[in-house]
Amino acid sequence: MKISDLPAINASLNAVSTVFISAGWFWIRRNIWQRHVPCMIIALIASTGFLVGYIVYHVHVGEKSSGYTGLIAWIYFPLLITHVLLAFVTLPLVIVTLVPVFPARWIDIAGLGAGRCRSGFMFRSPACSFISSSNHWFPPPNLALSQ
């Protein structure tokens, strides 16, 4: 594996995360937490893999310009800003959610984990879904319409 392979791997990990966040939401809305929990664990692992890959890639390659101009740039940059800001806000919220959930789930004290997991869920779920899926909306700059 080369450093140049990381963007494709990162995009794949984000896609996996999006699918499992959506599946986890589907199962918890039906009150089937036995299927929700594995989906969220897989989404967490995929997101962690993405974060590691993203950091490794940018440490080695540095920051690059998107290459977008014109109308695509006017659409792309507001989405990018929203994506980055939500990512910074969501990471601590995910950690705050996981700290009480994992011990309670493994001990399984009267479903304590499910009650604690719900606090803040209405914000985190849409934000996590947006963050994990928003990397897939734009083609590479060499395929962009303005080129």
Side-chain angles (χ1 to χ4, degrees):
M1 183 176 81
K2 299 176 286 191
I3 293 294
S4 61
D5 297 333
L6 281 176
I9 292 169
N10 288 342
S12 300
L13 289 170
N14 261 341
V16 167
S17 181
T18 301
V19 166
F20 281 96
I21 287 170
S22 300
W25 179 83
F26 175 84
W27 291 120
I28 204 64
R29 297 298 293 167
R30 282 147 186 80
N31 206 25
I32 304 175
W33 65 266
Q34 296 88 343
R35 292 186 180 172
H36 165 78
V37 171
C39 289
M40 294 296 98
I41 291 171
I42 293 169
L44 178 66
I45 291 169
S47 294
T48 303
F50 162 79
L51 183 60
V52 169
Y54 182 87
I55 291 169
V56 167
Y57 177 78
H58 285 286
V59 162
H60 285 84
V61 176
E63 201 58 41
K64 291 185 170 185
S65 170
S66 69
Y68 294 125
T69 59
L71 179 62
I72 290 183
W74 279 92
I75 297 169
Y76 173 76
F77 288 113
L79 285 173
L80 177 65
I81 291 167
T82 306
H83 171 89
V84 170
L85 291 175
L86 281 173
F88 278 118
V89 170
T90 301
L91 181 60
L93 292 175
V94 168
I95 293 168
V96 166
T97 300
L98 292 177
V99 168
V101 169
F102 275 116
R105 274 292 169 221
W106 304 133
I107 298 170
D108 198 25
I109 302 173
L112 181 63
R116 289 192 182 173
C117 183
R118 284 201 175 145
S119 62
F121 170 77
M122 293 306 289
F123 171 75
R124 280 189 283 272
S125 178
C128 290
S129 298
F130 173 78
I131 292 165
S132 64
S133 66
S134 62
N135 281 346
H136 310 292
W137 293 351
F138 289 91
N142 59 337
L143 299 177
L145 296 175
S146 64
Q147 299 270 329

